[in-house]
């Protein structure tokens, strides 16, 4: 199975700052088959990005995804108060579908 | 817009069977994969498996021996059965629509709100 490693585990930033989250795969992910989700406490995950760089419906353009092969990045250009949450990457290039362990973005 | 809602017992006894149903509203169950995903308290996400509207399934090998999924297109519902549960199966169980990349399963959107299932003795 493809193992996804997210780093850092926790990112401490202030509102207005830029957040850069990494997701590294144990093997190359075909056709950029990678998605990103945001999860707030007590809520289900919400899709942000699919196809490594395509924003989901109603997702603000401060969220962007990039990368290919084994290295992918989620960037939040300027953090808003509602962006402090846990972020997960997920690959769908090969079964079983797998998730990374998550990156928590917390208020500094 | 499509909405999903999990239902089922919140408490399951050790070694017994967990059973959950996901009801899809606001759209048809046809032409999509439908997944179950779980999240133990304070931990990350694990894909359990998915079912297509035809009834074809694919399960995570880590759970395959204990998982059965089914679909009832007439009721716009799909279900999960997990047998011989242990404390490690205590988790929030989510159902989610699974978009396709070609004919293969892809990303999850939307998700149900989740159902906490606790395994106890």
């Amino acid at each position: 199975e493809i193992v996804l490693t997210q780093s850092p585990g926790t990112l401490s930033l202030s509102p207005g700052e830029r957040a850069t989250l990494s997701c590294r795969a144990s093997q190359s992910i075909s056709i950029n088959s990678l998605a990103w989700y945001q999860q707030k406490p007590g809520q289900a995950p919400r899709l942000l990005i699919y196809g490594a760089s395509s924003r989901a419906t109603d997702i603000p353009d401060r969220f962007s995804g990039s990368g290919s092969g084994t290295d992918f990045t989620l960037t939040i250009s300027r953090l808003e108060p509602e962006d402090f949450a846990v972020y997960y990457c997920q690959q769908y290039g090969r079964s079983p579908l797998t998730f990374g362990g998550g990156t928590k973005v917390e208020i500094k | 817009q499509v909405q999903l809602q999990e239902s089922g017992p919140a408490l399951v006894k050790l070694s017994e069977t967990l059973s959950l149903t996901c009801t899809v509203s606001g759209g048809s169950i046809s032409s999509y994969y439908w997944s179950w995903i779980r999240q133990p308290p304070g931990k990350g996400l694990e894909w359990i498996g998915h079912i297509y509207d035809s009834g074809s399934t694919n399960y995570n090998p880590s759970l395959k021996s204990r998982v059965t999924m089914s679909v009832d297109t007439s009721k716009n519902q799909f279900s999960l059965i997990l047998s011989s549960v242990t404390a490690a199966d205590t988790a929030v169980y989510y159902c989610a629509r699974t978009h396709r990349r070609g004919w293969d399963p892809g990303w999850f959107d939307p998700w149900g709100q989740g159902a906490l299932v606790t395994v106890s003795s």
Side-chain angles (χ1 to χ4, degrees), chain A residues 5-99:
Chain A
T5 302
Q6 292 188 241
S7 61
T10 302
L11 200 49
S12 298
L13 295 168
S14 301
E17 289 194 294
R18 180 184 188 90
T20 302
L21 287 66
S22 172
C23 177
R24 178 163 290 178
S26 60
Q27 52 189 284
S28 185
I29 296 176
S30 62
I31 321 176
N32 293 338
S33 300
L34 190 106
W36 289 93
Y37 302 85
Q38 176 194 69
Q39 187 178 33
K40 296 180 181 178
Q43 296 185 16
R46 176 175 73 142
L47 175 71
L48 299 174
I49 301 284
Y50 63 93
S53 60
S54 297
R55 263 188 307 275
T57 304
D58 296 331
I59 300 303
D61 61 8
R62 64 180 181 272
F63 291 92
S64 63
S66 63
S68 63
T70 59
D71 290 306
F72 298 86
T73 301
L74 175 70
T75 302
I76 311 171
S77 59
R78 285 198 329 272
L79 282 164
E80 297 287 341
E82 62 268 26
D83 299 337
F84 292 92
V86 179
Y87 293 83
Y88 293 96
C89 57
Q90 175 238 332
Q91 68 79 25
Y92 47 93
R94 183 173 296 184
S95 186
L97 309 183
T98 52
F99 292 89

Side-chain angles (χ1 to χ4, degrees), chain B residues 71-89:
Chain B
V71 62
D72 187 337
T73 55
S74 67
K75 293 183 178 178
N76 248 25
Q77 292 178 333
F78 60 103
S79 298
L80 167 71
I81 292 176
L82 182 66
S83 62
S84 305
V85 297
T86 71
D89 295 312

Side-chain angles (χ1 to χ4, degrees), chain A residues 1 30-31 33 35 37 39 42-47 50-51 88 90 92-93 95-101, chain B residues 35 37 39 43-47 50 58-61 94 98 101 104-109 111-114:
Chain A
E1 84 177 38
S30 62
I31 321 176
S33 300
Y37 302 85
Q39 187 178 33
Q43 296 185 16
R46 176 175 73 142
L47 175 71
Y50 63 93
Y88 293 96
Q90 175 238 332
Y92 47 93
S95 186
L97 309 183
T98 52
F99 292 89
Chain B
S35 287
I37 298 150
Q39 184 172 38
K43 296 189 177 180
L45 300 160
E46 179 182 32
W47 173 73
H50 65 238
N58 186 22
Y59 303 142
N60 192 320
Y94 296 101
T98 309
R101 174 178 59 84
D104 294 327
W107 57 96
F108 307 113
D109 180 54
W111 297 55
Q113 65 184 31

Side-chain angles (χ1 to χ4, degrees), chain B residues 14-95:
Chain B
L14 208 60
S15 78
E16 296 193 346
T17 298
L18 178 158
S19 180
L20 292 171
T21 295
C22 183
T23 301
V24 180
S25 58
S28 172
I29 206 164
S30 298
S31 303
Y32 283 97
Y33 290 98
W34 301 91
S35 287
W36 289 97
I37 298 150
R38 70 180 183 177
Q39 184 172 38
K43 296 189 177 180
L45 300 160
E46 179 182 32
W47 173 73
I48 299 170
H50 65 238
I51 188 165
Y52 197 62
D53 63 352
S54 61
S56 67
T57 56
N58 186 22
Y59 303 142
N60 192 320
S62 67
L63 295 166
K64 188 173 184 176
S65 63
R66 299 193 291 130
V67 170
T68 304
M69 294 183 186
S70 59
V71 62
D72 187 337
T73 55
S74 67
K75 293 183 178 178
N76 248 25
Q77 292 178 333
F78 60 103
S79 298
L80 167 71
I81 292 176
L82 182 66
S83 62
S84 305
V85 297
T86 71
D89 295 312
T90 293
V92 175
Y93 286 76
Y94 296 101
C95 56

